[in-house]
Amino acid sequence: MPVIAVDKPLNLTSHDVVGRARRALATKRVGHTGTLDPLATGVLVLCVNDSTKVVQFMDADSKDYLAWVSLGAGTRTLDAEGPIDDTADVPPLTEDGVRAILTDFVGPLAQVPPQYSAIQVGGVRAYAVARAGGTLDLPARNVVIHSLELLGIYESMEAAPHSFSPISQGWAPDAQGKTFPFPTPLGEFPTLLLRARVGSGTYLRSLARDVGAALGAPAHLSGLVRTRVGRYDLSAAADLEHLAEAKSIPDLDALDFPRLEADERLARELRQGKRPQHTAQGRQVVTLNGELVAVVDGDGAELKVVRAWA
């Protein structure tokens, strides 16, 4: 059972999901790509047994989210875990005005991670310092936001849509669609509903904080659903309670890179760790008779093995 996309429940950590998967699948070899916070739900990709080899290649996959950003109240965690530690009146909002602000966040940008995060500084986790009441000087990280759409402005988190269905552009509000669970709102605050596609390492909690600041008010992430990771959409994600019967995906199909079909000689040299001459450029998945041989990086002159399969 190689790669499985799971719909992570509310109030479980990604590590909790891995623990349950280990028990359900009777194996200790389970990894995941792209951590989800406990208050977030949606797609978490699990790699089982030998498929843990592909984790390193899936961390960089782009991800789609539905994000609810509540304005007028900030929290240290930047989400609905709270408590509220900053409040202010929210300036008048219009859809055109908010969309104009959101365009400033699309593309490459430097983003300061949340204090409540697993980032290490000097061997110390930021969240450990934050829980003790301190802060760390977290340097901004380069991230990419591919798209950021406003789906609506609502009087409160409770007034915003909670049910959605997949469409060609992503997931959209649909009263007859899938209803998502959310943490208890921290109060009645004006709430933006956003649809985002982001690159690896992007914190939606930091994005909520920064969008609020750009609009002139403190803000927190009051709800988050990850609807896609790479080629894995939430519509095909397995329920955690039925993981043993979940449909799995072969390693080869899990790797979202161009494919290069090898002959016997090329496959043998790659498996031996050699650097055979080849004109391919960029990251490639090498196959032999449809079977996975290696992931390589090509520079137009030779291939360098990143990982090989026997």
Side-chain angles (χ1 to χ4, degrees), residues 76 115-116 126 128-138:
R76 291 196 69 201
Q115 289 293 324
Y116 282 81
V129 175
R131 288 171 182 167
T135 59
L136 287 178
D137 184 14
L138 299 178

Side-chain angles (χ1 to χ4, degrees), residues 9-33:
L10 186 68
N11 294 323
L12 290 185
T13 67
S14 297
H15 184 70
D16 291 335
V17 173
V18 167
R20 293 195 182 189
R22 287 170 175 163
R23 292 189 293 273
L25 303 175
T27 178
K28 293 183 179 180
R29 298 179 63 193
V30 179
H32 70 79
T33 70

Side-chain angles (χ1 to χ4, degrees), residues 8 143 199 222 237-238 249:
K8 188 192 86 65
V143 300
S222 47
I249 300 165

Side-chain angles (χ1 to χ4, degrees), residues 7-299:
D7 184 1
K8 188 192 86 65
L10 186 68
N11 294 323
L12 290 185
T13 67
S14 297
H15 184 70
D16 291 335
V17 173
V18 167
R20 293 195 182 189
R22 287 170 175 163
R23 292 189 293 273
L25 303 175
T27 178
K28 293 183 179 180
R29 298 179 63 193
V30 179
H32 70 79
T33 70
T35 300
L36 274 178
D37 293 329
L39 297 188
T41 65
V43 181
L44 183 69
V45 179
L46 302 180
C47 298
V48 183
N49 291 331
D50 286 346
S51 294
T52 53
K53 293 179 181 179
V54 305
V55 169
Q56 69 187 98
F57 304 111
M58 299 173 67
D59 281 339
D61 285 344
S62 67
K63 302 170 178 67
D64 288 357
Y65 292 91
L66 293 168
W68 290 253
V69 178
S70 291
L71 304 168
T75 71
R76 291 196 69 201
T77 59
L78 305 186
D79 64 10
E81 183 177 342
I84 294 172
D85 65 356
D86 185 20
T87 59
D89 292 336
V90 179
L93 301 173
T94 65
E95 291 195 355
D96 287 344
V98 173
R99 288 193 174 100
I101 291 293
L102 295 181
T103 60
D104 293 335
F105 290 89
V106 177
L109 74 158
Q111 184 185 72
V112 177
Q115 289 293 324
Y116 282 81
S117 65
I119 292 174
Q120 292 191 58
V121 176
V124 179
R125 298 284 187 185
Y127 64 73
V129 175
R131 288 171 182 167
T135 59
L136 287 178
D137 184 14
L138 299 178
R141 308 198 310 174
N142 294 325
V143 300
V144 177
I145 297 179
H146 301 292
S147 63
L148 188 59
E149 304 169 71
L150 176 68
L151 299 185
I153 303 173
Y154 303 92
E155 294 182 356
S156 65
M157 175 64 180
E158 291 183 334
H162 286 56
S163 298
F164 294 77
S165 292
I167 61 173
S168 59
Q169 298 93 336
W171 283 64
D174 178 5
Q176 305 303 315
K178 179 180 176 66
T179 299
F180 299 122
F182 294 97
T184 301
L186 298 178
E188 293 191 1
F189 302 103
T191 297
L192 311 178
L193 172 56
L194 307 179
R195 183 166 59 205
R197 174 164 293 179
V198 306
S200 177
T202 306
Y203 281 94
L204 273 293
R205 286 181 289 144
S206 292
L207 179 62
R209 173 200 62 203
D210 297 341
V211 167
L215 291 170
H220 66 277
L221 189 67
S222 47
L224 184 67
V225 179
R226 187 154 69 192
T227 58
R228 184 190 60 85
V229 175
R231 59 182 58 188
Y232 302 98
D233 190 84
L234 180 58
S235 58
D239 184 87
L240 187 58
E241 301 304 319
H242 301 95
L243 196 55
E245 301 87 43
K247 179 181 179 181
S248 60
I249 300 165
D251 292 354
L252 180 57
D253 292 339
L255 295 170
D256 197 12
F257 303 116
R259 295 187 186 181
L260 174 64
E261 179 67 16
D263 56 24
E264 294 282 354
R265 179 195 60 79
L266 179 59
R268 181 174 60 255
E269 291 182 356
L270 291 174
R271 284 169 170 154
Q272 292 172 346
K274 296 180 180 180
R275 294 192 178 190
Q277 293 182 348
H278 203 281
T279 58
Q281 294 184 331
R283 183 148 291 181
Q284 308 271 333
V285 174
V286 181
T287 60
L288 176 64
N289 299 323
E291 296 295 324
L292 182 58
V293 172
V295 174
V296 301
D297 286 334
D299 62 4

